[in-house]
Amino acid sequence: MAGTTSQPTSRTRSWWGWGWTDAHPDDAECTAMGALLPGTLGRPLPVPRVSDLEIAGPAVEPPPSLAHLVSTDREDRAAHSMGKAYRDVARALRGRPGRVPDLVARPTDDRDVADLLDWAGERQVAVVPYGGGSSVTGGVEYRGDAHRAVMSLDLTAMGRVLEVDTEGRAARIQAGTLGPSLEDQLRPHGLTLRHFPQSFEFSTLGGWLATRAGGHYATGRTHIDDFVQSLRVVTPAGTSSSWRLPASGAGPSPDRLFLGSEGALGVITEAWVRLQERPRHKASAAVAFADFQGALRAVRALAQSDLSPANCRLLDSGEAALSGAAHDGSSVLVLGFESADEPVAARLERAVALARSHGGRYGGADGAVGDRDGAPDGEGAVSAWRSAFLRMPYLRDGLARMGAVVETFETAATWDRIPGLIDEVRREVGAAAVKATGHPATVNCRLTHVYPDGAAPYFTVLAAGRAGDEVAVWDELKAVASEVLHRHRATITHHHAVGRDHRPGYDRQRPEPFALALRAAKGALDPRGILNPGVLVD
Amino acid sequence: MAGTTSQPTSRTRSWWGWGWTDAHPDDAECTAMGALLPGTLGRPLPVPRVSDLEIAGPAVEPPPSLAHLVSTDREDRAAHSMGKAYRDVARALRGRPGRVPDLVARPTDDRDVADLLDWAGERQVAVVPYGGGSSVTGGVEYRGDAHRAVMSLDLTAMGRVLEVDTEGRAARIQAGTLGPSLEDQLRPHGLTLRHFPQSFEFSTLGGWLATRAGGHYATGRTHIDDFVQSLRVVTPAGTSSSWRLPASGAGPSPDRLFLGSEGALGVITEAWVRLQERPRHKASAAVAFADFQGALRAVRALAQSDLSPANCRLLDSGEAALSGAAHDGSSVLVLGFESADEPVAARLERAVALARSHGGRYGGADGAVGDRDGAPDGEGAVSAWRSAFLRMPYLRDGLARMGAVVETFETAATWDRIPGLIDEVRREVGAAAVKATGHPATVNCRLTHVYPDGAAPYFTVLAAGRAGDEVAVWDELKAVASEVLHRHRATITHHHAVGRDHRPGYDRQRPEPFALALRAAKGALDPRGILNPGVLVD
């Protein structure tokens, strides 16, 4: 089976597209979606098959002592050739995936990882760490030709919760543990990590840590970083194991150097992470705004209050319409509160009142706005939005089969930058799409995470492609978007990571002395330059 | 005036001891305190005078272009020879202060800092960054002989709030701004940083950032790290200026490399920091516990709740007695809540109820326990404890004049370690004091900051000295304490920094690959090894 992991499932992962093959839209659904977007193909591109690819045999053989960890299966190798960005899907659909790795290794413990790194270092084999493979920034793909061969290092055979400290609410967890398995293993202890990126089903703890993933909480602890007690990282220069601490002031944080290192400094193999009791009290609501600027002011007031909503996601009118949250041109603010130890209805009421004081309408007539969900296990607020959120990547791939260009990108900036930034991204990316394709495009925005001092806007682009040249169209739009971000000093990524696709923006953003320090650290930990080459530093 | 800064005051800073000279206990008060501690001297050591020290002329002359920034005054140089740890005070009292720097430079902007670093690099002059000079870990003192001369780089001429963003609640502030001046400059904007380390009056923003200082909040955002939007750092390899962002996932955090770098990687010259509205609602209370273990369980429950107390400090019975918070052998939990936007009485009530469910007594008969402070500008809960807290360093110096050994140290560990750790520190440090001095010692503990997964114990040691050999006694006790911390994998420092005194513990604690990376980063940013030599790495 292509793209499977060692964590058991009866379903089949797609080698080229998002998630499970049985959840992909069929040809009829693709055609119907395409009909809504002028300029797309009349019928879907065929589902790509590995058997149609020219894949050479592996350029190296693994040594006998490690052979039991290594696969050279073509399907397996093809499934590890790229992440799951739109440009990955589009390349696969056109029969031009990324460089197919020579080997796929599945270590079972730290010793295996160290042995594989030793061997790769001796043979000049590039090592690309791979968790769930859901990178949307070219993070798990080898580009270049400076290495003799490429090995994808799939961590999913290391998928166990090893220890749980119920008193201190923490667990030691192997890096290759996929989201659902991680929560399944914690559930019997009454504890949860509550880290739910959109990729939750298809991403791992190690991937979250290596990319500083954004999770469930819209305010406060938005990134996985804040849940880390300690990390274990295997590097070519030895294994780094930090102490399990609630906090420390002893020098620069060792963990913060590896968080976000994207496999370039070492392979994260396990972590102690902070857990929580499962929430017993939940309340959510949606508030509609006729005026997006008023909605922004409401969200800022909420983020600067003591209310700490778990959910505080603002959908602009386009995003609200697309997800079914509102159809009258309103922007919609999705609010959610939760707690393990006290009712949250009063906090929700205060939040709604605050939103109304900035022009919000609660309990509108259309049925979607004003939805209120008190179900004990509901995750979100507006169920229409929630469903769309999880289905979105599948629909993206369906539209990609119609030749459309469909992708997202995200950033963060301080409040003073937010209105202008959002306006200019919409306008300039929209204009670039018209120029590139001859058809109008949709550029929607939502705020996924909010802070007292700023917010994280998340943009969705829906555009016609140019048949056979879809990747180039996207690259043009992304370059325009990145230019706007840079002009506003908005980060090139809030939680999608840098990978290879964001390198130009990242290189301009990071302070040059920090780049010097990072290169030096890389040289010290990975002297042969085998670890995820091209990511973060050259 | 010795030890003065450019930020105006009519009072005089002590060159050898804590704070203001006019706040020092006089001879009679010292004698009275000494009488309470068996084994101390019968009368106080004289207040040390710079004129009694043998201080050679500077080994280098500053170049004419920088001469206006540089002082060679003996009093000035002596005042910059050490921080304010007990061992610094004791050394001064015995006429053996640390290496007196050759020069004291006071740059007024980044250009000055860069020029001074350039000159120092060319001449092999060590540069020791100096904020308020309140280091208690040997952080501002040169030890060694590998450099031609030593320059103390006093940042207090860079003491302004440069920009305030009231909408996004943030300010750009120069690193040399002392605590009171920082709050004074923010007050007209209705904003506050609310970072109040014990050293608040005598420490700077830059010092807090370089040492990852612990502040006002006992839960949540306990360290200054969490308030940083961006940093500006002048290094010998160029100036690092990170973007002002509410959050980012673009590679490892540049700011987190410089936070805690203690002047070894560069000189922090300014930062954008996150501010808050001044709290309008406050409530506090003290809860007494006959049983310290019960108190620990109560504090853990509070830290794991949603209550987020601003103050949640647990004093053991010795600490409670010393500060006047309780005299009946009780431990005392000091609780405080505050908010800019809603009343906090209900949260306090829930917290008190939770504490009572673990055996706490609220509203005891002795008048100190049960204190409740609703005054709008009160900072703490139990006023007796608060006063003692601020007066403590002065009393320490008074006792030091009586030949006593009086010092604190702090750590953090996960909850499973806390009871055993505290017991063993008390027992083993107490026994070591008896062995070293022939007299029993007091070892008290309080928890200064608490987390869902652990706590930060803070120990106070009160012991007799050995006349003329007080520093050696303290070094013996500290070595024993550090050994206990290491055995329990408790950090060598939660917020006092590493400096030079904590190097042995720090070197054992940090993962070796991280040390490799840090050395490499240091080599890249400070290739001539002039920046605070001996701190963090060699």
Side-chain angles (χ1 to χ4, degrees):
Chain A
M1 282 190 304
T4 57
T5 77
S6 64
Q7 290 168 64
T9 172
S10 59
R11 302 173 76 183
T12 303
R13 286 281 301 278
S14 169
W15 81 268
W16 66 275
W18 190 257
W20 307 115
T21 53
D22 59 20
H24 284 199
D26 62 18
D27 285 8
E29 198 179 348
C30 292
T31 305
M33 285 193 294
L36 301 173
L37 200 62
T40 52
L41 309 173
R43 57 183 173 193
L45 296 166
V47 170
R49 293 180 304 187
V50 173
S51 55
D52 293 337
L53 299 176
E54 283 181 36
I55 301 177
V60 289
E61 288 287 313
S65 63
L66 300 172
H68 63 291
L69 304 173
V70 176
S71 159
T72 56
D73 176 77
R74 285 165 48 96
E75 293 264 342
D76 210 4
R77 291 167 57 202
H80 286 77
S81 62
M82 296 184 296
K84 294 290 187 268
Y86 164 76
R87 72 192 308 287
D88 304 331
V89 168
R91 284 185 292 164
L93 285 167
R94 292 299 183 180
R96 299 187 299 266
R99 154 85 181 250
V100 174
D102 299 272
L103 310 172
V104 177
R106 290 188 172 82
T108 62
D109 58 22
D110 284 10
R111 185 71 260 159
D112 286 349
V113 174
D115 289 346
L116 287 161
L117 292 187
D118 284 350
W119 172 79
E122 287 160 14
R123 301 302 177 97
Q124 291 181 280
V125 173
V127 177
V128 180
Y130 189 101
S134 66
S135 171
V136 290
T137 58
V140 293
E141 168 187 354
Y142 182 80
R143 295 177 194 166
D145 53 10
H147 294 80
R148 182 192 296 186
V150 177
M151 176 167 70
S152 180
L153 191 73
D154 182 321
L155 274 294
T156 52
M158 297 172 70
R160 282 182 304 140
V161 172
L162 300 171
E163 252 180 285
V164 177
D165 169 3
T166 50
E167 178 189 341
R169 295 187 186 167
R172 184 160 72 93
I173 305 180
Q174 289 185 303
T177 311
L178 288 156
S181 171
L182 184 151
E183 289 292 338
D184 286 347
Q185 293 178 71
L186 294 177
R187 197 169 291 110
H189 303 277
L191 294 169
T192 170
L193 179 59
R194 290 194 81 59
H195 183 77
F196 302 121
Q198 196 172 16
S199 63
F200 175 71
E201 269 188 282
F202 309 108
S203 54
T204 61
L205 175 63
W208 303 337
L209 297 166
T211 62
R212 302 177 67 192
H216 172 69
Y217 294 101
T219 67
R221 298 157 302 172
T222 56
H223 284 78
I224 190 76
D225 313 37
D226 295 324
F227 295 94
V228 174
Q229 262 185 354
S230 70
L231 292 181
R232 199 167 159 85
V233 188
V234 177
T235 84
T239 296
S240 177
S241 190
S242 59
W243 287 6
R244 201 191 145 201
L245 293 169
S248 179
S253 163
D255 295 338
R256 297 276 181 171
L257 179 66
F258 291 111
L259 289 166
S261 63
E262 303 193 13
L265 301 182
V267 179
I268 298 171
T269 57
E270 64 177 58
W272 272 99
V273 291
R274 301 183 178 114
L275 307 174
Q276 298 153 75
E277 281 189 51
R278 307 186 72 78
R280 277 183 288 271
H281 307 278
K282 293 190 185 184
S284 54
V287 181
F289 290 83
D291 170 21
F292 188 66
Q293 301 306 318
L296 287 177
R297 285 191 294 274
V299 169
R300 175 159 65 84
L302 282 162
Q304 293 180 345
S305 76
D306 284 350
L307 289 165
S308 304
N311 238 310
C312 184
R313 291 172 212 242
L314 174 63
L315 320 181
D316 73 1
S317 57
E319 189 82 12
L322 199 68
S323 63
H327 299 288
D328 62 354
S330 296
S331 306
V332 174
L333 174 59
V334 179
L335 283 171
F337 288 86
E338 59 183 45
S339 171
D341 62 18
E342 58 167 348
V344 292
R347 277 158 73 200
L348 180 67
E349 275 168 34
R350 282 187 53 220
V352 168
L354 193 56
R356 293 178 70 171
S357 76
H358 289 275
R361 284 176 292 114
Y362 174 59
D366 82 1
V369 172
D371 184 19
R372 184 161 179 159
D373 176 8
D377 259 303
E379 283 306 331
V382 176
S383 52
W385 175 75
R386 183 81 199 165
S387 308
F389 177 71
L390 292 174
R391 182 101 175 105
M392 196 68 79
Y394 291 107
L395 301 182
R396 178 200 68 180
D397 294 353
L399 280 163
R401 288 187 59 203
M402 299 307 297
V405 171
V406 190
E407 185 55 302
T408 62
F409 59 92
E410 35 82 75
T411 183
T414 46
W415 284 115
D416 54 327
R417 306 280 193 175
I418 290 291
L421 170 68
I422 293 175
D423 278 356
E424 287 177 36
V425 166
R426 280 200 193 108
R427 192 168 60 240
E428 298 191 22
V429 175
V434 172
K435 191 175 157 203
T437 70
H439 295 278
T442 299
V443 184
N444 294 331
C445 178
R446 63 180 190 263
L447 303 187
T448 58
H449 300 82
V450 293
Y451 302 90
D453 53 335
Y458 191 105
F459 297 93
T460 303
V461 178
L462 266 163
R466 282 194 307 256
D469 208 19
E470 293 86 0
V471 172
V473 171
W474 170 246
D475 288 347
E476 288 165 31
L477 303 191
K478 184 64 188 266
V480 170
S482 300
E483 204 53 44
V484 179
L485 299 194
H486 185 264
R487 196 189 308 144
H488 284 275
R489 296 292 183 272
T491 181
I492 192 67
T493 177
H494 174 265
H495 60 268
H496 279 179
V498 175
R500 290 164 181 85
D501 297 346
H502 283 154
R503 272 299 299 280
Y506 174 66
D507 288 3
R508 289 207 287 176
Q509 175 176 338
R510 69 175 168 199
E512 189 49 37
F514 178 74
L516 286 177
L518 191 60
R519 270 183 223 116
K522 165 105 176 157
L525 298 180
D526 178 24
R528 285 161 158 156
I530 57 167
L531 280 173
N532 219 3
V535 160
L536 297 184
V537 291
D538 294 317
Chain B
M1 283 192 302
T4 56
T5 76
S6 64
Q7 290 168 63
T9 171
S10 59
R11 302 172 76 183
T12 304
R13 285 282 300 278
S14 169
W15 81 268
W16 66 275
W18 191 257
W20 307 114
T21 53
D22 59 18
H24 284 200
D26 62 17
D27 285 8
E29 197 179 349
C30 291
T31 306
M33 285 193 294
L36 300 174
L37 201 62
T40 52
L41 309 172
R43 56 183 176 192
L45 295 167
V47 169
R49 293 181 304 188
V50 173
S51 55
D52 293 337
L53 299 176
E54 283 183 35
I55 301 177
V60 289
E61 290 286 313
S65 64
L66 300 171
H68 62 292
L69 305 172
V70 176
S71 159
T72 55
D73 175 77
R74 285 164 48 95
E75 293 263 343
D76 210 3
R77 290 167 58 202
H80 286 78
S81 61
M82 296 184 296
K84 292 291 187 269
Y86 163 77
R87 73 191 308 287
D88 304 331
V89 169
R91 285 185 292 164
L93 285 167
R94 293 298 182 180
R96 299 188 299 266
R99 155 84 181 250
V100 173
D102 299 272
L103 311 171
V104 176
R106 289 189 173 82
T108 62
D109 58 22
D110 284 9
R111 186 69 259 158
D112 286 348
V113 174
D115 289 346
L116 288 161
L117 292 187
D118 284 349
W119 172 78
E122 286 160 16
R123 301 301 177 98
Q124 289 181 283
V125 173
V127 178
V128 180
Y130 188 102
S134 65
S135 170
V136 290
T137 58
V140 293
E141 168 187 356
Y142 182 79
R143 294 178 194 164
D145 53 10
H147 294 80
R148 182 190 298 186
V150 177
M151 176 168 68
S152 181
L153 192 74
D154 183 321
L155 274 295
T156 52
M158 296 171 70
R160 282 180 304 140
V161 172
L162 300 171
E163 252 180 285
V164 178
D165 169 3
T166 51
E167 177 188 340
R169 294 188 186 166
R172 183 161 72 93
I173 305 179
Q174 289 185 303
T177 312
L178 288 157
S181 171
L182 184 151
E183 289 292 337
D184 285 349
Q185 293 179 70
L186 294 176
R187 197 169 291 110
H189 302 277
L191 295 169
T192 170
L193 178 60
R194 290 194 82 58
H195 182 78
F196 302 120
Q198 196 172 16
S199 63
F200 176 71
E201 269 188 282
F202 309 109
S203 54
T204 61
L205 175 63
W208 302 337
L209 297 166
T211 61
R212 301 177 67 193
H216 172 68
Y217 294 101
T219 67
R221 299 157 302 172
T222 56
H223 285 80
I224 191 75
D225 313 37
D226 296 324
F227 295 94
V228 175
Q229 262 185 355
S230 70
L231 291 182
R232 200 168 159 86
V233 188
V234 178
T235 84
T239 295
S240 176
S241 189
S242 59
W243 287 6
R244 200 191 146 201
L245 293 169
S248 178
S253 163
D255 295 338
R256 297 276 181 172
L257 180 66
F258 291 111
L259 289 166
S261 63
E262 303 193 14
L265 300 181
V267 180
I268 298 170
T269 58
E270 63 177 60
W272 272 98
V273 292
R274 301 182 179 116
L275 306 173
Q276 297 153 76
E277 281 189 52
R278 308 185 72 78
R280 277 182 287 270
H281 306 278
K282 292 191 187 185
S284 55
V287 181
F289 290 83
D291 170 22
F292 188 65
Q293 300 306 320
L296 287 177
R297 285 191 294 273
V299 169
R300 176 159 64 83
L302 282 162
Q304 293 180 344
S305 76
D306 284 352
L307 289 165
S308 305
N311 239 309
C312 186
R313 291 172 212 241
L314 174 61
L315 320 180
D316 74 1
S317 57
E319 191 80 14
L322 200 67
S323 64
H327 299 288
D328 62 353
S330 294
S331 305
V332 174
L333 174 60
V334 179
L335 283 171
F337 289 84
E338 58 183 47
S339 171
D341 63 19
E342 59 167 346
V344 291
R347 276 158 73 201
L348 180 67
E349 275 168 34
R350 283 187 52 221
V352 168
L354 193 56
R356 292 178 70 170
S357 75
H358 289 275
R361 284 177 292 112
Y362 174 60
D366 82 1
V369 172
D371 184 19
R372 183 160 178 160
D373 176 7
D377 259 303
E379 283 305 331
V382 175
S383 51
W385 175 77
R386 184 80 200 165
S387 308
F389 176 71
L390 291 174
R391 182 100 174 106
M392 196 69 78
Y394 290 107
L395 300 182
R396 178 200 67 179
D397 294 353
L399 280 163
R401 289 186 59 203
M402 299 306 298
V405 171
V406 190
E407 185 54 303
T408 62
F409 58 93
E410 36 81 74
T411 183
T414 46
W415 283 115
D416 54 328
R417 305 281 194 175
I418 290 291
L421 170 68
I422 294 175
D423 278 355
E424 287 175 37
V425 167
R426 280 201 194 109
R427 192 167 61 240
E428 298 190 22
V429 175
V434 172
K435 190 175 157 205
T437 70
H439 294 279
T442 298
V443 184
N444 293 332
C445 179
R446 62 179 191 262
L447 303 187
T448 59
H449 301 81
V450 293
Y451 303 90
D453 53 333
Y458 191 104
F459 297 93
T460 302
V461 178
L462 267 163
R466 282 194 308 258
D469 208 20
E470 294 86 0
V471 172
V473 171
W474 170 245
D475 287 347
E476 288 166 31
L477 303 190
K478 184 64 187 267
V480 170
S482 300
E483 204 53 44
V484 179
L485 300 192
H486 186 264
R487 195 190 308 146
H488 284 276
R489 296 291 182 272
T491 181
I492 192 67
T493 177
H494 174 266
H495 60 268
H496 278 177
V498 175
R500 289 163 181 86
D501 297 346
H502 282 154
R503 273 299 297 282
Y506 174 66
D507 288 3
R508 290 207 287 175
Q509 174 177 339
R510 68 175 169 200
E512 190 49 38
F514 178 73
L516 286 176
L518 191 60
R519 270 183 223 115
K522 164 105 176 157
L525 299 181
D526 178 25
R528 286 162 159 156
I530 57 166
L531 282 173
N532 219 1
V535 160
L536 296 184
V537 291
D538 292 317

